[in-house]
């Protein structure tokens, strides 16, 4: 039985234009039907109300960050139209203040130096582990995966003191020293990198495993038939297909680490303190300079906003991945 090759019929330019218009009209019709099914007037109105309620405090915070301290202490931000007054002194005091261990600019660099590796390390380890749990059969795989999943219910507060003791004293079994420790004081990035990686791994492995395990088995089998090993299968097939899920978790992990204060208080001290620690210190010993938090908060928001809007399309693709078939 011989295969019949399709024949391209001659089509003039006018017909091609009409066909293109028809395809675009059909696409618009499909999108409109999908939009009508997924949206309603009530849902749209509710979304607008929620957006207004959600952004109003942020607007007030922005206006307060530009108001002089005397106006902040005597009137609310909503009185800006009847009692106007603007200044950049709050931002100058935050950026050049000397009441903290490090300046806000130094802590900004520290946050970047902490957040990028702390987001990259768990993603690399979790993606490899998720592939192993999904497509590499080995003894005890299900029990081990259940153990990893169960680690999500352990509060990180319970692990802070033991982990800090491990970093400072090391680990010894009898006379054999397994780990010498990183030293006390928290003046290095290594401790906080390891801490964030450990705390992020259970959830990262669980989420990426659920995505990677849904990849069609035929693709994996076809790669094995062609002689691909696990390394080639992972890097050439699994990794590109799982990129939306990886990018989505990368955004979450980046935001979690950037906004973290608890882990930073325990493991990052001195010259490596992130911006969240400096924001806690700029208010003064008794909170008398609380108004500086408004300008400091907006400086701290710059990088997360850039990351979110730059990777928004990957974030949406990751959320919708697997929600539709065909």
């Amino acid at each position: 039985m011989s295969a019949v090759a399709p024949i391209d019929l001659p089509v003039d330019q006018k017909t091609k234009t009409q066909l293109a218009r028809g395809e675009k009209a059909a696409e618009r019709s499909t999108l409109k039907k999908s939009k009508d099914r997924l949206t309603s007037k009530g849902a749209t109105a509710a979304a607008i109300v929620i957006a207004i309620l959600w952004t109003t405090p942020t607007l007030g915070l922005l206006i307060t960050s530009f108001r002089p301290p005397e106006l902040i202490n005597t009137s609310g931000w909503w009185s800006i139209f009847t009692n106007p007054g603007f200044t950049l002194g709050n931002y100058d005091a935050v950026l050049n203040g000397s009441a903290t261990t490090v300046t806000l600019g130094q802590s900004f660099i520290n946050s970047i130096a902490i957040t990028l590796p702390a987001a990259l390390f768990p993603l690399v380890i979790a993606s490899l582990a998720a592939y192993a749990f999904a497509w590499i059969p080995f003894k005890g795989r299900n029990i081990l995966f259940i153990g990893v999943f169960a680690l999500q219910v352990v509060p990180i507060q319970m692990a802070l003191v033991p982990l800090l003791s491990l970093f400072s004293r090391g680990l010894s079994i009898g006379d054999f020293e397994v780990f010498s420790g990183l030293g006390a004081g928290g003046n290095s990035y290594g401790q906080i990198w390891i801490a964030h990686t450990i705390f992020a791994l259970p959830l990262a492995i669980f989420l990426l495993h659920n995505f990677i395990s849904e990849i069609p088995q035929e693709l994996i089998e076809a790669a094995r038939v062609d002689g691909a090993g696990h390394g080639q299968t992972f890097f050439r097939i699994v990794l590109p297909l799982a990129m939306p899920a990886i990018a989505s978790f990368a955004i979450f992990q980046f935001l979690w680490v950037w906004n973290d204060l608890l882990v930073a208080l325990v493991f990052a001290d001195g010259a490596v303190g992130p911006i969240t620690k400096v924001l806690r210190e700029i208010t003064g010993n008794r909170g008398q300079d609380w108004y500086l938090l408004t300008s400091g908060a907006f400086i701290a928001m710059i990088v997360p906003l850039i990351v979110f809007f730059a990777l928004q399309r990957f974030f949406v693709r990751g959320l919708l991945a697997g929600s539709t078939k065909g």
Side-chain angles (χ1 to χ4, degrees):
M1 183 176 180
S2 60
V4 179
I7 301 175
D8 294 332
L9 297 176
V11 179
D12 57 11
Q13 187 62 35
K14 182 178 180 180
T15 304
K16 290 182 179 179
T17 304
Q18 292 177 347
L19 290 174
R21 291 177 180 174
E23 291 177 356
K24 292 181 179 179
E27 183 178 356
R28 287 194 296 268
S29 176
T30 303
L31 291 175
K32 186 177 183 303
K33 291 179 181 179
S34 301
K35 183 178 179 180
D36 292 339
R37 288 197 302 265
L38 296 175
T39 60
S40 64
K41 294 182 179 179
T44 302
I48 293 174
V49 172
I50 292 174
I52 294 175
L53 295 176
W54 188 272
T55 55
T56 298
T58 306
L59 176 62
L61 193 68
L62 176 62
I63 294 175
T64 303
S65 67
F66 288 102
R67 303 190 75 199
E70 56 273 12
L71 292 181
I72 295 175
N73 293 323
T74 57
S75 61
W77 63 268
W78 50 86
S79 63
I80 189 67
F81 297 104
T82 59
N83 190 17
F86 297 94
T87 180
L88 295 176
N90 297 335
Y91 286 91
D92 181 70
V94 168
L95 292 173
N96 300 318
S98 59
T100 57
T101 307
V102 295
T103 64
L104 193 70
Q106 292 173 328
S107 66
F108 192 88
I109 301 300
N110 289 340
S111 290
I112 295 177
I114 290 172
T115 305
L116 291 179
L120 180 62
F121 293 160
L123 282 175
V124 173
I125 299 173
S127 59
L128 293 171
Y131 172 78
F133 281 123
W135 297 107
I136 300 179
F138 57 90
K139 190 175 182 179
R141 179 178 63 173
N142 294 333
I143 296 176
L144 185 58
F145 182 73
I146 292 174
V148 172
F149 175 77
L151 289 175
Q152 298 181 60
V153 303
V154 179
I156 65 173
Q157 291 84 352
M158 296 179 59
L160 293 178
V161 174
L163 194 58
L164 181 62
S165 176
L166 176 65
F167 287 155
S168 59
R169 301 178 183 176
L171 177 63
S172 298
I173 301 178
D175 295 332
F176 178 72
E177 186 179 59
V178 180
F179 177 67
S180 61
L182 300 177
N187 289 319
S188 66
Y189 295 124
Q191 296 185 18
I192 195 167
W193 288 344
I194 297 173
H196 278 300
T197 300
I198 291 174
F199 296 145
L201 276 177
L203 180 60
I205 293 174
F206 175 71
L207 293 179
L208 294 181
H209 168 269
N210 291 345
F211 187 92
I212 292 175
S213 61
E214 293 298 323
I215 295 177
Q217 187 176 0
E218 291 78 7
L219 290 176
I220 307 299
E221 293 179 349
R224 292 174 181 172
V225 170
D226 291 339
H230 287 297
Q232 291 177 319
T233 303
F234 174 78
F235 286 106
R236 295 188 178 184
I237 297 178
V238 175
L239 192 60
L241 293 176
M243 193 55 64
I246 293 174
S248 298
F249 187 82
I251 295 174
F252 280 123
Q253 178 66 7
F254 186 94
L255 297 179
W256 287 334
V257 177
W258 183 272
N259 295 321
D260 169 74
L261 177 61
L262 177 61
V263 178
L265 287 174
V266 177
F267 298 104
D269 206 359
V272 299
I275 195 170
T276 50
K277 286 194 63 177
V278 174
L279 290 178
R280 185 183 67 91
E281 297 174 359
I282 63 175
T283 58
N285 295 329
R286 299 183 180 180
Q288 68 273 13
D289 298 330
W290 64 269
Y291 59 88
L292 296 178
L293 285 176
T294 57
S295 53
F298 271 92
I299 295 175
M301 289 169 56
I302 294 175
V303 171
L305 288 175
I306 293 175
V307 170
F308 179 79
F309 286 114
L311 301 178
Q312 186 178 18
R313 58 192 181 97
F314 296 103
F315 178 72
V316 175
R317 286 172 55 192
L319 292 180
L320 296 179
S323 62
T324 57
K325 300 294 182 181

